[in-house]
Amino acid sequence: MGLWSWFKSLTIVHLLMGYIFMASGFLVSFLMLVGVVIRPFNKTLYRKYAYFLSYALWSQFSFLAHWWVRADCKLYISPEDQKRLGKSHSVCMVNHTYEIDWLMAWMMAERHGMLGNTKIYGKDILKYVPVLGWTWYFTESIFLKRSWDEDKKILEKSITELITYPDPFWLLLFPEGTRWTPKKHAICQKIAKEKGYPEYKHMLLPRTKGFTLSMQLMKGKIPTVLDCTVGFPASEPEPTLWDAISGKKIRCAIIARTYKIDDIPCENEEECGNWLRQIYKQKDDDLEYYKQTEKFNGLPVIDVPKRYYDLCWYIFWLCLTCIPLCYYVVYLVFTASIVHKVTVIVIVTAMILVMKWMISFSEVKHGTSYGLENKQNGTKKSQ
């Protein structure tokens, strides 16, 4: 292990990175809260304000991938599709097979100038997560309660609002709704056999009801679905967020295809569901080929160079948060009382716990199984 790799593995360094993220995140969240007063008078100005602040925060994740990990991520895409990326609204559909597939997607979003305008479909509980959830909330992400009657209203209201967005955005969607695990995969395989659906080796069955309604609401208003399949080499351990924070080298590849939403058969759930399951069959075949060869087939690799904005922002946050921290540490060591020092130890311990809790949201074991039970129950009832 080299000196630089050893440095990146130190717990004190991870704590410092966590401190930078939390301190900058609370500042961004506060500024977004203050900026809400702009929205009733000028929605476009508020959205540009929120875009600037969200990019300032999300750039720490792309910094992590680009500069800290120096992730090697190849993009397989047609030149025509690549030239159009970032020019219009798009639903970015990503497989939820790994813990950090989202981080690779965000890295590519940054390279195409879309990071500040990335939004998500997420569980309702996420909007209460400090910093992360608050930023998603202020930037108009869609939070679902996993109750169809409520979610139908949420989708109708949120998408109607989103299509008025003045600048191009990517709406990140994981149609599976949960991360891949062997148990969930076995359930999906059983359902697929019983219903005559395509069977996947590396994917879960996508949920079709919310996707169908989304496509119906977006038709004629949002041009494309950007379908991305993320793969990590089968010859290496699947990377985790802790691996990225520890600076471990990550290799991956993404194959991306675009589909016009106007061409998607979304008049009813059956037709739209069949279309989506066939897309997932293609994704599954792509990933199987990648696991065997460590490359994707059918499209060329397009080199999209990384930009320096995320690096500049991280240097800014480093200076803004750590210079006062250094003065405070000197005061704490030489001047502060015992009670003060104990209080700081308690706060730092709490910070460590909060940081681990936030990171846990990326872990596979915390993925929901919602929808799979419903499908199983529906299958049993129909037998």
Side-chain angles (χ1 to χ4, degrees):
M1 179 186 291
L3 184 61
W4 180 235
S5 297
W6 171 79
F7 174 78
K8 290 193 288 187
S9 70
L10 294 176
T11 301
I12 187 66
V13 174
H14 303 160
L15 281 175
L16 184 62
M17 293 173 71
Y19 159 75
I20 293 170
F21 180 74
M22 294 300 292
S24 60
F26 277 110
L27 176 59
V28 165
S29 298
F30 173 74
L31 292 174
M32 283 186 167
L33 179 61
V34 171
V36 168
V37 299
I38 303 172
R39 186 180 173 90
F41 305 100
N42 193 325
K43 189 185 295 185
T44 297
L45 178 60
Y46 166 76
R47 283 169 162 171
K48 290 184 179 294
Y49 173 80
Y51 158 81
F52 174 81
L53 291 173
S54 63
Y55 179 81
L57 184 64
W58 296 148
S59 62
Q60 294 186 52
F61 287 108
S62 62
F63 164 84
L64 184 71
H66 279 139
W67 305 98
W68 188 251
V69 175
R70 292 190 175 275
D72 177 15
C73 188
K74 294 181 172 62
L75 177 64
Y76 292 75
I77 189 173
S78 73
E80 296 76 17
D81 284 347
Q82 194 276 325
K83 288 177 182 178
R84 288 193 290 265
L85 292 186
K87 303 297 191 297
S88 61
H89 302 334
S90 189
V91 177
C92 187
M93 192 166 68
V94 185
N95 56 306
H96 217 359
T97 315
Y98 308 97
E99 286 192 11
I100 59 168
D101 36 34
W102 58 271
L103 181 60
M104 300 300 102
W106 275 15
M107 182 170 69
M108 283 301 167
E110 156 56 22
R111 293 189 185 190
H112 289 88
M114 295 297 292
L115 185 60
N117 271 338
T118 55
K119 308 172 191 309
I120 66 163
Y121 281 85
K123 295 177 289 188
D124 190 65
I125 191 175
L126 287 178
K127 69 184 179 186
Y128 301 107
V129 176
V131 179
L132 290 172
W134 298 344
T135 304
W136 278 323
Y137 175 79
F138 285 122
T139 52
E140 301 175 71
S141 284
I142 299 175
F143 296 98
L144 302 174
K145 297 179 180 294
R146 305 299 171 88
S147 166
W148 177 242
D149 289 339
E150 292 183 83
D151 288 346
K152 185 174 183 293
K153 296 176 183 177
I154 291 171
L155 285 171
E156 289 172 345
K157 179 180 179 181
S158 299
I159 293 175
T160 300
E161 187 69 20
L162 268 182
I163 59 179
T164 66
Y165 214 83
D167 299 314
F169 64 77
W170 283 356
L171 180 58
L172 187 62
L173 168 65
F174 297 104
E176 309 100 305
T178 186
R179 296 182 186 89
W180 194 99
T181 66
K183 181 179 178 180
K184 295 171 189 174
H185 181 249
I187 293 173
C188 287
Q189 288 288 81
K190 180 181 177 182
I191 295 169
K193 287 179 181 178
E194 291 172 345
K195 295 195 173 185
Y197 295 157
E199 296 180 34
Y200 312 134
K201 291 183 179 180
H202 310 290
M203 303 286 169
L204 301 180
L205 282 172
R207 299 176 189 173
T208 59
K209 187 174 290 187
F211 181 83
T212 301
L213 179 59
S214 296
M215 294 301 101
Q216 291 172 348
L217 294 169
M218 293 174 183
K219 203 160 192 174
K221 302 176 180 70
I222 293 180
T224 57
V225 167
L226 174 62
D227 175 43
C228 300
T229 303
V230 180
F232 294 93
S235 59
E236 301 173 5
E238 291 184 6
T240 65
L241 187 54
W242 272 118
D243 290 336
I245 293 172
S246 300
K248 295 181 181 178
K249 182 66 176 179
I250 292 174
R251 291 194 301 131
C252 81
I254 298 174
I255 185 167
R257 299 181 177 91
T258 59
Y259 300 93
K260 293 181 180 179
I261 290 181
D262 286 349
D263 293 339
I264 297 174
C266 56
E267 286 71 24
N268 59 67
E269 186 184 348
E270 182 179 358
E271 290 184 1
C272 195
N274 288 335
W275 181 89
L276 183 59
R277 284 186 286 269
Q278 288 303 319
I279 294 297
Y280 259 68
K281 178 60 178 170
Q282 176 69 64
K283 292 167 75 70
D284 194 63
D285 292 343
D286 285 338
L287 196 53
E288 173 67 12
Y289 187 88
Y290 181 80
K291 285 181 175 292
Q292 293 178 2
T293 65
E294 294 193 4
K295 62 182 180 180
F296 284 116
N297 187 36
L299 289 172
V301 176
I302 302 293
D303 181 27
V304 184
K306 58 188 176 185
R307 309 187 307 167
Y308 289 86
Y309 298 112
D310 51 358
L311 177 61
C312 293
W313 265 111
Y314 202 83
I315 293 172
F316 169 79
W317 287 125
L318 180 70
C319 296
L320 183 68
T321 60
C322 290
I323 290 175
L325 178 64
C326 290
Y327 282 104
Y328 181 70
V329 169
V330 171
Y331 162 77
L332 187 68
V333 171
F334 296 103
T335 308
S337 66
I338 297 296
V339 174
H340 192 156
K341 291 176 181 178
V342 170
T343 302
V344 170
I345 292 173
V346 170
I347 292 173
V348 170
T349 302
M351 177 182 164
I352 294 171
L353 295 175
V354 169
M355 186 171 68
K356 288 185 175 181
W357 174 69
M358 291 173 66
I359 290 174
S360 74
F361 277 90
S362 73
E363 295 175 357
V364 168
K365 65 183 180 180
H366 287 106
T368 178
S369 58
Y370 171 81
L372 297 181
E373 293 90 342
N374 292 343
K375 288 180 181 178
Q376 275 192 306
N377 293 338
T379 301
K380 291 176 181 177
K381 289 177 183 178
S382 63
Q383 291 175 339

